[in-house]
Amino acid sequence: MLKKLYAHSIKRKLILAIAGLHAVLMTIFVIDLVHRQQSFLMQESHVSTSGIAKTLAANSTPWVLSNDLVGLEEIIRSQDQQPNFQFAMITDSNGKILAYHHSKNHTKDLIGKSIKIEPLDIALKNKELAIFSDTKTKIDVAAPIKVNDSLIGWARIHMARDNIYDSIRVISIEGILYTLFAILIGSIFAWRMGSNLTKGIYELIHTTQRVRAGERKITLSLKRKDELQILSDNFQSMLTSLSEKERELYAEKERLEITLMSIGDGVITTDMDGLVTYLNPVAEHLTGWSNHAARGFHIEEVFKIYHELTMDPAENPALKSMATQKITLLANHTVLLNRAGEKISIEDSGAPIIDKSGKIIGAVLVFHDATEARQLRKRLTWQAQHDTLTQLANRQAFETKLDDLISKSIDSPQNQHCLIYIDLDQFKIVNDTVGHAAGDELLKQVASILQQQVRDSDLLARIGGDEFAIVLENCSTSNAEQVAEKVRQVVHNHRFTWNDRIFDIGTSIGIAQMKGLINKANVMSQADVACYIAKEQGRNRVHIFKEDDQVLAREFNNLDWANRIKRAIEDEQFVLYAQKITPLQHIEANETYEVLIRLQPPEGELIFPDQFLPAAERFNLMGELDIYIVKRAYKWLKNNFNNVKLLNINISGQSLDDDKFNNALLELLEKDSKINQKICFEITETTAITHMSASISFLNRIKNHGCSLALDDFGSGFSSFGWLKTLPVDYVKIDGTFVLDVLTDSVDAAMVKAIHSISEEMDIKTIAEFVENQAVSDWLKETGIDYAQGYHFSRPNPLINI
């Protein structure tokens, strides 16, 4: 590693760079110097030789004029003293040699001979010296000999230039020596500078290796005054910051691990290939795999999930979340098959783990044991669809089944379905004679008898106080009549005994067929009319609805309850009662009441709502009745304003859909906003869900007038908690069926606590209904319920007496 590092080290590169730079620069300098020196010596040689030639020409003039060859020879011989002299000659104007002398060859054979005159002619023409040769090794020139501008001859001289090359060679050798010396000095300087520089760098490298090995307690200072010291200081600061961040990350990791180990849900993480990377203790317990053993295994091997009913493999949420890049919830009815082969009902979700760049690097799976919750949900689902007294299907389940068969009847007209409507005769006598407990026992016995007379495909439901219905699927009218007759007979044969008293019970039964474009309201009305006709014809009998019965039905509708209710409204026979709503958590200065309604005929006993409200709903009279109640309650509240905190008034679902009622109510609320602040309107949960669009619109409009809102019978519908987020209510009245047995039924107690907990989170006050003793009241108070209502605190009393 160090050898590889040295081969590319800054020090080595610096030495080579500086040495190479010196070599290049000195080489350029020497070459330039040699070239300049050579040019200078060549020029100097040319000038010197030309001067000698001119001097020789001047000195030879008189001798040429006198044609004294001996004198000319002496003059030429005198040039032998010139350095680098080769030969000299004097010619006449035509180039004939008059005198000649060579430094080495002293022959006279050339006297009288002629030289080539072309250079002489060119020189004469250009008025300059004649150049016979001018090379790197020699120079040969001739100067004209003139008298009064007349050419009488030429003085020629030839010089060698060997001395120039000797001088250039010396200069070159000296230049090379200087170059080598410069390279040596530069390399030494580069080595010293590189050593000084790389010493700090190697110290930094050594320090980074120590950091990489895990060491953190390092103090680094190069004690320099250059950029390396700044780098050293920055590195020390970075190292300190790194140590702090590592401590923080370690603490966060410890905190996260403790959190994952402490939470009640199982947590499994995977990499992007679906291989397990972590299991927390809960996940270890539920899957049967340890964290160590599961690592590296595929998630589908560790987390095996199946559909609860079919045991078909279920899609793994962790893998699906990575594929869809979204949080994925586990499908309902999923079980985990752990390593021991045990089945555990679970609920979970998977989410992709995404890094800062947006790349999916794995997934996290969060799940918990939902066995108990699923059993509770099943029980709550069952309770939402069944009557708590008789354990039969309730009205909600009955109407759902009815809607389903009506749809099937429309799609497949060839299939026949029937509805049997059963009303107990003389049931009121049992209630009035031996009490409601006896009536409840009678209803349970009758339910048991009826249950034995229906097929598994049929639905038997309790739809009212003493009213039952049987929905017969794929059954003709004749077969339905046989079933109804059998029911009538077994009930008639039954003897109900209570406290040594024996009661004969009969039934009036109506049958209606589902055919054509019939709707739920029509088929129920037909069965009701048929039952009414059975009663009118002497009770304890079966009647099948026929088209001819419409006349009698209209007569019944017009002459009986419809007229009776309308007349009671006109004659103000309906009287207002009120029941106190008691605060549990604190004392309030004024009382809160719920307004109730009773029918008081001029002659006869007081009639309770369960006897006339179904008829009012059946004949669409609830809007008139509700506005009647609101107006009188409003009037009473104005007279007792200072003595009441809040007055609760019930509104039916039918009224919510009645534009006439809505307009009348809004007109009343617009009169006095001060009164509105002490009015709370109650609607039942079933009504709110059934009339959702109308409910939200209505509730928001009356809220704008300052009124409060309460959701009555909360918990009777299975989707209760979901609707709480939608409906803008201030109070939740917990269904009394949950409150009655909170001390003995853990499911009811859990339901009440759940309703209170959710309501408290949403800043909604809770009111418990049907509180009948102090023990239940104490339990509700301890649970945190805000208000309670029931016979334990007060019975309903006429509003006028309060």
Side-chain angles (χ1 to χ4, degrees):
M1 178 67 184
L2 290 176
K3 290 181 179 179
K4 183 178 180 181
L5 181 64
Y6 178 75
H8 300 280
S9 69
I10 294 175
K11 179 179 179 181
R12 184 171 182 270
K13 290 180 179 179
L14 185 63
I15 293 173
L16 291 176
I18 292 179
L21 179 62
H22 278 73
V24 171
L25 293 177
M26 288 301 296
T27 299
I28 293 173
F29 172 74
V30 170
I31 292 173
D32 182 67
L33 179 63
V34 169
H35 176 73
R36 289 176 181 273
Q37 186 66 21
Q38 182 179 359
S39 298
F40 171 77
L41 292 175
M42 293 287 286
Q43 183 66 26
E44 186 181 33
S45 172
H46 181 82
V47 172
S48 175
T49 303
S50 297
I52 294 173
K54 291 178 180 180
T55 301
L56 180 62
N59 293 333
S60 301
T61 301
W63 306 108
V64 173
L65 290 176
S66 62
N67 196 25
D68 187 351
L69 299 180
V70 175
L72 290 174
E73 185 177 353
E74 290 180 357
I75 293 172
I76 291 174
R77 287 183 178 275
S78 65
Q79 301 301 318
D80 196 18
Q81 300 175 359
Q82 297 290 341
N84 301 312
F85 175 81
Q86 291 290 312
F87 69 87
M89 68 175 61
I90 295 174
T91 67
D92 60 12
S93 60
N94 295 318
K96 180 180 177 181
I97 300 174
L98 301 178
Y100 173 80
H101 176 72
H102 195 284
S103 62
K104 295 180 180 179
N105 186 8
H106 302 291
T107 179
K108 296 182 179 181
D109 294 341
L110 296 176
I111 302 297
K113 293 183 179 180
S114 296
I115 62 174
K116 53 183 181 178
I117 63 173
E118 288 83 5
L120 301 178
D121 293 338
I122 294 172
L124 188 63
K125 182 179 179 181
N126 295 329
K127 298 180 179 180
E128 59 185 13
L129 295 179
I131 300 174
F132 290 90
S133 177
D134 189 357
T135 65
K136 294 180 180 180
T137 58
K138 60 185 178 179
I139 181 170
D140 187 356
V141 297
I145 302 173
K146 293 182 178 182
V147 175
N148 297 325
D149 293 331
S150 296
L151 180 68
I152 60 173
W154 294 87
R156 180 180 176 183
I157 191 164
H158 182 111
M159 295 286 188
R161 286 177 168 171
D162 295 336
N163 64 316
I164 294 177
Y165 284 95
D166 292 339
S167 176
I168 293 301
R169 185 164 48 252
V170 171
I171 292 173
S172 297
I173 293 172
E174 290 177 352
I176 292 172
L177 292 176
Y178 281 124
T179 299
L180 293 175
F181 181 74
I183 292 172
L184 177 62
I185 296 300
S187 298
I188 293 173
F189 173 75
W191 179 81
R192 289 293 301 271
M193 186 170 65
S195 297
N196 185 46
L197 178 64
T198 56
K199 178 182 178 182
I201 294 176
Y202 278 114
E203 188 170 347
L204 286 171
I205 292 172
H206 178 64
T207 304
T208 59
Q209 290 174 340
R210 292 169 64 188
V211 173
R212 184 178 180 182
E215 190 175 350
R216 293 295 181 268
K217 295 182 178 180
I218 301 173
T219 300
L220 176 64
S221 178
L222 301 182
K223 297 180 180 180
R224 300 169 65 99
K225 296 181 179 180
D226 55 13
E227 290 84 350
L228 281 178
Q229 182 59 45
I230 297 175
L231 179 61
S232 171
D233 295 339
N234 289 342
F235 183 84
Q236 184 69 54
S237 176
M238 182 183 68
L239 182 60
T240 303
S241 177
L242 175 63
S243 300
E244 293 176 356
K245 294 296 183 183
E246 283 184 342
R247 286 193 293 271
E248 291 176 4
L249 287 174
Y250 181 79
E252 184 66 21
K253 179 176 178 290
E254 289 290 309
R255 187 161 49 249
L256 288 175
E257 287 185 353
I258 293 173
T259 301
L260 289 174
M261 293 175 65
S262 303
I263 64 175
D265 286 356
V267 178
I268 301 177
T269 60
T270 74
D271 61 15
M272 61 183 300
D273 296 321
L275 302 181
V276 173
T277 57
Y278 174 77
L279 275 76
N280 75 340
V282 176
E284 289 180 322
H285 173 72
L286 293 177
T287 62
W289 288 76
S290 68
N291 181 36
H292 176 75
R295 286 187 178 181
F297 280 87
H298 197 271
I299 183 65
E300 290 186 323
E301 294 184 59
V302 176
F303 190 73
K304 297 180 179 180
I305 52 176
Y306 302 87
H307 190 276
E308 187 175 22
L309 303 178
T310 64
M311 288 307 292
D312 292 331
E315 187 175 13
N316 192 286
L319 301 179
K320 186 176 180 180
S321 70
M322 287 193 287
T324 61
Q325 300 186 13
K326 296 179 180 178
I327 296 175
T328 302
L329 299 178
L330 189 65
N332 292 329
H333 307 292
T334 301
V335 294
L336 168 67
L337 189 64
N338 66 17
R339 205 173 188 184
E342 300 172 332
K343 295 179 182 178
I344 303 173
S345 298
I346 60 168
E347 293 177 348
D348 77 345
S349 63
I353 301 174
I354 304 174
D355 63 13
K356 291 183 178 180
S357 64
K359 181 181 178 182
I360 295 178
I361 59 174
V364 58
L365 190 65
V366 180
F367 61 99
H368 62 270
D369 187 349
T371 304
E372 184 177 346
R374 194 166 293 174
Q375 290 174 352
L376 176 61
R377 190 179 298 116
K378 288 179 180 178
R379 187 169 178 182
L380 292 175
T381 303
W382 188 92
Q383 288 183 345
Q385 300 290 325
H386 290 79
D387 174 55
T388 56
L389 178 64
T390 63
Q391 308 300 303
L392 299 179
N394 60 13
R395 189 179 186 92
Q396 183 177 344
F398 159 73
E399 292 187 0
T400 301
K401 178 71 173 180
L402 202 59
D403 283 332
D404 180 55
L405 287 187
I406 290 173
S407 298
K408 289 182 178 179
S409 178
I410 294 173
D411 296 336
S412 304
Q414 69 277 10
N415 295 331
Q416 300 182 34
H417 314 293
C418 290
L419 170 61
I420 296 179
Y421 188 89
I422 305 168
D423 186 78
L424 298 184
D425 298 330
Q426 309 304 327
F427 177 73
K428 189 173 183 302
I429 296 176
V430 176
N431 264 346
D432 294 343
T433 304
V434 291
H436 290 285
D440 289 347
E441 179 59 29
L442 173 59
L443 291 174
K444 289 192 286 187
Q445 292 183 14
V446 169
S448 178
I449 293 171
L450 296 179
Q451 190 73 56
Q452 299 173 19
Q453 312 306 318
V454 297
R455 302 170 300 178
D456 292 338
S457 60
D458 300 330
L459 176 71
L460 170 64
R462 181 190 177 200
I463 61 174
D466 60 345
E467 299 169 341
F468 298 86
I470 304 175
V471 182
L472 301 172
E473 185 173 0
N474 297 322
C475 181
S476 64
T477 305
S478 59
N479 289 337
E481 184 178 16
Q482 293 177 13
V483 174
E485 182 58 36
K486 188 176 180 181
V487 166
R488 186 201 65 79
Q489 188 63 47
V490 295
V491 175
H492 178 68
N493 293 337
H494 181 68
R495 296 292 180 270
F496 176 66
T497 302
W498 186 267
N499 293 338
D500 298 329
R501 296 190 62 175
I502 300 175
F503 298 88
D504 291 331
I505 304 299
T507 56
S508 296
I509 302 176
I511 301 175
Q513 186 179 15
M514 293 172 240
K515 61 180 180 179
L517 298 176
I518 195 169
N519 57 38
K520 179 173 65 179
N522 287 339
V523 73
M524 291 178 64
S525 177
Q526 290 176 4
D528 190 17
V529 168
C531 181
Y532 169 74
I533 294 173
K535 283 184 177 292
E536 289 294 307
Q537 291 177 352
R539 301 179 184 272
N540 195 31
R541 63 185 64 242
V542 176
H543 183 82
I544 301 174
F545 179 83
K546 305 180 183 62
E547 293 300 328
D548 295 341
D549 292 336
Q550 291 288 359
V551 177
L552 185 57
R554 283 195 296 270
E555 180 181 353
F556 163 67
N557 291 343
N558 294 331
L559 298 179
D560 200 345
W561 274 112
N563 285 334
R564 191 174 180 183
I565 292 172
K566 288 182 178 180
R567 188 169 59 252
I569 293 175
E570 293 172 357
D571 298 339
E572 297 186 359
Q573 295 176 8
F574 287 104
V575 294
L576 302 188
Y577 273 60
Q579 187 177 28
K580 184 166 61 173
I581 299 175
T582 304
L584 295 179
Q585 304 302 327
H586 56 275
I587 298 175
E588 294 179 351
N590 295 325
E591 301 289 351
T592 299
Y593 298 96
E594 180 184 1
V595 174
L596 306 173
I597 187 72
R598 304 286 188 265
L599 176 58
Q600 179 64 69
E603 297 179 0
E605 297 179 349
L606 195 67
I607 299 176
F608 288 84
D610 60 342
Q611 298 182 53
F612 59 83
L613 285 183
E617 290 182 350
R618 185 183 304 145
F619 303 127
N620 296 318
L621 297 174
M622 283 307 302
E624 295 181 36
L625 183 56
D626 282 344
I627 200 64
Y628 173 96
I629 297 170
V630 172
K631 287 181 177 180
R632 278 147 187 79
Y634 196 90
K635 180 179 179 180
W636 179 89
L637 185 57
K638 290 183 75 172
N639 297 329
N640 297 271
F641 183 85
N642 295 326
N643 300 324
V644 177
K645 178 193 175 186
L646 205 62
L647 193 65
N648 289 24
I649 305 172
N650 290 281
I651 300 296
S652 69
Q654 192 176 99
S655 296
L656 293 180
D657 292 330
D658 188 344
D659 291 337
K660 185 177 179 181
F661 167 82
N662 289 339
N663 293 333
L665 177 61
L666 293 175
E667 183 180 350
L668 181 64
L669 295 179
E670 288 172 356
K671 292 182 178 180
D672 192 344
S673 60
K674 181 179 178 182
I675 296 294
N676 297 343
Q677 295 175 3
K678 291 198 174 184
I679 293 178
C680 177
F681 289 105
E682 294 186 11
I683 59 171
T684 63
E685 181 192 14
T686 304
T687 295
I689 295 171
T690 307
H691 305 268
M692 176 52 65
S693 59
S695 296
I696 295 178
S697 176
F698 170 78
L699 296 180
N700 284 325
R701 293 176 72 181
I702 66 173
K703 283 274 285 188
N704 291 336
H705 284 283
C707 300
S708 300
L709 300 170
L711 193 60
D712 198 10
D713 294 338
F714 188 81
S716 59
F718 186 57
S719 301
S720 302
F721 292 117
W723 297 119
L724 266 187
K725 294 191 295 184
T726 305
L727 299 170
V729 297
D730 306 288
Y731 298 87
V732 162
K733 299 189 75 173
I734 304 172
D735 192 285
T737 57
F738 295 111
V739 178
L740 285 173
D741 299 320
V742 292
L743 299 180
T744 58
D745 191 323
S746 59
V747 174
D748 287 347
M751 190 66 182
V752 172
K753 289 180 179 179
I755 293 173
H756 170 68
S757 177
I758 296 298
S759 300
E760 187 175 34
E761 283 292 322
M762 301 178 69
D763 199 24
I764 297 174
K765 300 294 184 182
T766 48
I767 304 172
E769 298 176 306
F770 293 11
V771 181
E772 297 186 353
N773 56 64
Q774 185 63 42
V776 171
S777 175
D778 292 341
W779 184 90
L780 293 171
K781 182 177 181 179
E782 182 178 353
T783 302
I785 302 300
D786 300 292
Y787 297 88
Q789 180 180 358
Y791 284 180
H792 172 65
F793 300 102
S794 68
R795 290 180 176 271
N797 293 300
L799 186 62
I800 197 172
N801 297 335
I802 294 177

